[in-house]
């Protein structure tokens, strides 16, 4: 039972890790926690649903359309909603993302109502059996995709010009501008990339979680707990925190009570903030001057 709960927790935690990874990518460059990221995840799922059912678009084409749309939507959010607040207090930026989350949720509820809907699974191969442990096909794909994205973004941040520019913008937007980096365009692109990662999560996860307007809020809470546990700004920390959150939930639900699954994230956030505010892999706070 223990091994099965851990494996199930890794699969569930990879969902949280995917969402937390998108939030962390944006946070590293802008220091903004995007509380609308869960709704971007939800919007991607409903966009795929609409393309499949209303227009009869093939699944692969619908998935690519969701990736492109959310990338462009993320760019538009930065340009139209966030950039006008560039010199506003940080709380104003956070509140704008909260307002955007309610707008997206309300828009989906207006268009499709509050009924639960479903997407067909992308993969239909048999579960993987390792002794007494069974790994669901969709979970295996989610785990592999999360690992691949982590390696990709780590390589980009560590070895590419893109990563050096990201670090420069993170350290000082003014300094980055002085050395010739178009900070506004870079931040706009990062909003698009983060939204596109939310679309990746939609493509992989929506067939498992079902579709409803509030689906993003539940995942966002777990992803936020994952970021808190792993350490804000750490790509590896976001993934590790998400997987740990999934394992904690499954073990608590299996050995204590299923009710613990819904409150485990709150307990983790409180415990980390009290015992280790920087998280497991968090960096020391940098003060900009």
């Amino acid at each position: 039972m223990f091994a099965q709960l851990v494996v199930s927790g890794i699969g569930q935690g990879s969902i949280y890790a995917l969402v937390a990874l998108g939030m962390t990518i944006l946070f590293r460059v802008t220091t903004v926690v995007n509380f609308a990221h869960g709704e971007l995840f939800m919007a991607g799922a409903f966009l795929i649903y609409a393309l499949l059912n209303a227009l009869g678009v093939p699944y692969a084409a619908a998935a690519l359309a969701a990736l492109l749309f959310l990338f462009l939507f993320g760019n538009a959010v930065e340009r139209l909603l966030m950039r006008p607040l560039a010199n506003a207090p940080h709380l104003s930026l956070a509140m704008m993302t909260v307002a955007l989350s309610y707008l997206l949720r309300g828009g989906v509820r207006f268009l499709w109502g509050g009924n639960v809907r479903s997407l067909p699974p992308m993969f239909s191969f048999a579960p993987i059996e390792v002794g007494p442990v069974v790994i669901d096909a969709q979970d295996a794909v989610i785990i592999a995709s999360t690992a691949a994205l982590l390696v990709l973004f780590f390589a980009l941040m560590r070895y590419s010009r893109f990563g050096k520019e990201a670090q420069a913008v993170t350290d000082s937007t003014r300094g980055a501008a002085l050395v010739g980096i178009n900070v506004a365009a870079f931040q706009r692109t990062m909003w698009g990339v983060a939204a596109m990662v939310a679309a990746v999560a939609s493509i992989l996860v929506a067939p498992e979680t079902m579709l409803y307007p509030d689906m993003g809020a539940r995942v966002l809470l777990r992803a936020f707990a994952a970021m808190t546990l792993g350490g804000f700004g750490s790509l590896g920390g976001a993934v590790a925190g998400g997987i740990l959150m999934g394992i904690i939930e499954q073990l608590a639900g299996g050995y204590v009570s299923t009710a613990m699954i819904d409150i485990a994230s709150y307990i983790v956030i409180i415990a980390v903030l009290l015992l280790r505010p920087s998280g497991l892999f968090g960096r020391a706070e940098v003060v900009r001057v």
Side-chain angles (χ1 to χ4, degrees):
M1 179 178 178
F2 176 80
Q4 183 64 62
L5 287 173
V6 170
V7 170
S8 298
I10 293 173
Q12 186 68 26
S14 294
I15 297 173
Y16 309 151
L18 268 176
V19 179
L21 188 60
M23 295 175 68
T24 300
I25 291 166
L26 184 64
F27 179 81
R28 279 181 68 113
V29 176
T30 66
T31 69
V32 173
V33 178
N34 181 14
F35 290 104
H37 197 81
E39 276 61 45
L40 294 176
F41 161 76
M42 176 268 296
F46 271 92
L47 177 59
I48 295 171
Y49 175 85
L51 291 174
L52 289 177
N53 292 277
L55 301 178
V57 176
Y59 210 126
L64 289 174
L67 290 171
L68 177 60
F69 175 82
L70 279 186
F71 176 78
L72 296 175
F73 185 78
N75 275 262
V77 167
E78 191 282 333
R79 182 65 184 88
L80 300 176
L81 300 182
M82 306 308 294
R83 194 182 303 178
L85 299 177
N87 297 318
H90 210 74
L91 180 61
S92 298
L93 299 173
M95 291 305 298
M96 178 60 81
T97 67
V98 172
L100 177 61
S101 74
Y102 280 100
L103 176 63
L104 290 173
R105 200 181 310 173
V108 167
R109 193 178 296 276
F110 175 78
L111 292 173
W112 284 284
N115 295 331
V116 176
R117 303 168 189 273
S118 63
L119 282 176
M122 287 188 66
F123 309 97
S124 57
F125 55 85
I128 302 169
E129 296 185 17
V130 183
V133 177
V134 178
I135 305 174
D136 182 75
Q138 194 76 15
D139 284 345
V141 173
I142 293 171
I143 293 169
S145 300
T146 302
L149 280 175
L150 175 61
V151 171
L152 172 63
F153 282 114
F154 178 81
L156 284 174
M157 292 294 184
R158 186 70 178 269
Y159 301 111
S160 69
R161 177 182 175 85
F162 173 86
K164 293 180 175 62
E165 291 181 350
Q167 188 60 52
V169 174
T170 301
D171 291 340
S172 171
T173 55
R174 184 178 181 184
L178 288 175
V179 298
I181 297 173
N182 188 334
V183 174
F186 190 84
Q187 290 185 339
R188 186 171 66 249
T189 300
M190 291 308 297
W191 272 90
V193 170
M196 191 165 60
V197 174
V200 172
S202 304
I203 294 165
L204 296 172
V205 175
E208 281 200 346
T209 60
M210 308 298 284
L211 277 65
Y212 53 98
D214 296 327
M215 63 184 289
R218 179 182 180 279
V219 176
L220 178 73
L221 175 61
R222 270 70 173 185
F224 186 78
M227 291 176 68
T228 305
L229 179 59
F232 278 82
S234 170
L235 297 177
V239 173
I243 291 173
L244 284 172
M245 270 303 308
I247 294 173
I248 290 169
E249 284 187 351
Q250 291 299 313
L251 291 177
Y255 287 107
V256 182
S257 168
T258 54
M260 288 295 296
I261 294 176
D262 291 328
I263 64 173
S265 53
Y266 298 101
I267 295 173
V268 167
I269 291 172
I270 292 171
V272 172
L273 290 177
L274 289 175
L275 301 176
R276 188 179 173 83
S278 61
L280 298 176
F281 303 98
R283 298 176 296 178
E285 183 179 352
V286 177
V287 179
R288 298 180 179 178
V289 295

